Amino acid sequence: AWPELDADARERLAHDIGAAMAHLAALPVTGLDALLAPQESLLAERRPRLLQDQRERGGDDALEAQLQAFLDALPPLLPAESVLVHADLTADNILVHDGRLAGFIDFADAFVGPWTYELAATSCFVTQGDRRSQRALLLGRGVEATPELLVTLRCWAVLHRYGHVAIMMRRAGHASLWS
């Protein structure tokens, strides 16, 4: 649905997605201890898996070198409360009807983790780098696009369990992680 929408409709949809994320994050997580992956635990899981995951997804030696440099220079992430996250909010899992958000599907990967993690996949694979839509997504989520938040989102996009860094870079028109 995203590519067929005009700029105003994409902005409205991105805002609606952000608002729905905020509603999801507001749900109680009592009793979901088995799904808990706070930020530091998630980082500890993802850091050692990044290179292997990207190699399995077709990454080459040059990408591996960039990813290793990324890991070596990983900045501190913005502290983030653990909330219920869908964890795979891509275009495949966002239902749209008449240009408006109809709902989310496929909660198989949901867990309780940092709210910033949720924004990473959607920023990459739904708003697809469109700054206006990304701003609307963040506004809908109720957060401001501070430099610290943007750095954190970039880090989670690279570290994301289902991220495909080579595809993300190509879609964004970047030859490297640093451009």
Side-chain angles (χ1 to χ4, degrees):
W2 191 263
E4 294 86 36
L5 299 175
D6 65 30
D8 289 339
R10 285 194 303 268
E11 184 176 10
R12 275 191 309 277
L13 179 57
H15 187 276
D16 291 350
I17 292 168
M21 286 177 173
H23 288 296
L24 181 62
L27 292 174
V29 295
T30 308
L32 298 178
D33 296 343
L35 299 176
L36 186 60
Q39 183 159 283
E40 291 309 314
S41 298
L42 191 57
L43 274 172
E45 171 204 321
R46 293 306 309 145
R47 286 180 66 110
R49 293 277 318 163
L50 177 64
L51 299 180
Q52 180 182 348
D53 287 352
Q54 296 308 311
R55 182 60 81 169
E56 290 170 359
R57 294 174 186 145
D60 59 14
D61 292 340
L63 178 61
E64 186 170 325
Q66 290 181 56
L67 291 170
Q68 186 59 60
F70 167 83
L71 289 171
D72 292 344
L74 189 69
L77 301 185
L78 186 69
E81 175 187 6
S82 288
V83 300
L84 184 60
V85 295
H86 179 285
D88 193 18
L89 283 178
T90 60
D92 294 338
N93 295 326
I94 297 172
L95 299 177
V96 177
H97 179 72
D98 290 334
R100 300 306 300 251
L101 178 67
F104 300 146
I105 60 170
D106 188 4
F107 282 80
D109 298 310
F111 67 95
V112 177
W115 64 267
T116 51
Y117 186 85
E118 187 80 282
L119 289 163
T122 310
S123 292
C124 289
F125 293 110
V126 178
T127 64
Q128 301 176 352
D130 176 59
R131 295 197 191 289
R132 184 175 161 194
S133 297
Q134 286 177 336
R135 278 193 307 275
L137 176 73
L138 296 176
L139 284 172
R141 179 57 181 82
V143 297
E144 185 180 334
T146 64
E148 297 83 11
L149 177 59
L150 297 177
V151 165
T152 297
L153 295 184
R154 181 173 183 233
C155 290
W156 280 130
V158 172
L159 290 164
H160 199 281
R161 288 176 178 159
Y162 305 113
H164 194 304
V165 176
I167 290 175
M168 291 185 318
M169 288 169 37
R170 190 169 45 253
R171 285 186 180 166
H174 297 293
S176 79
L177 283 173
W178 315 115
S179 60

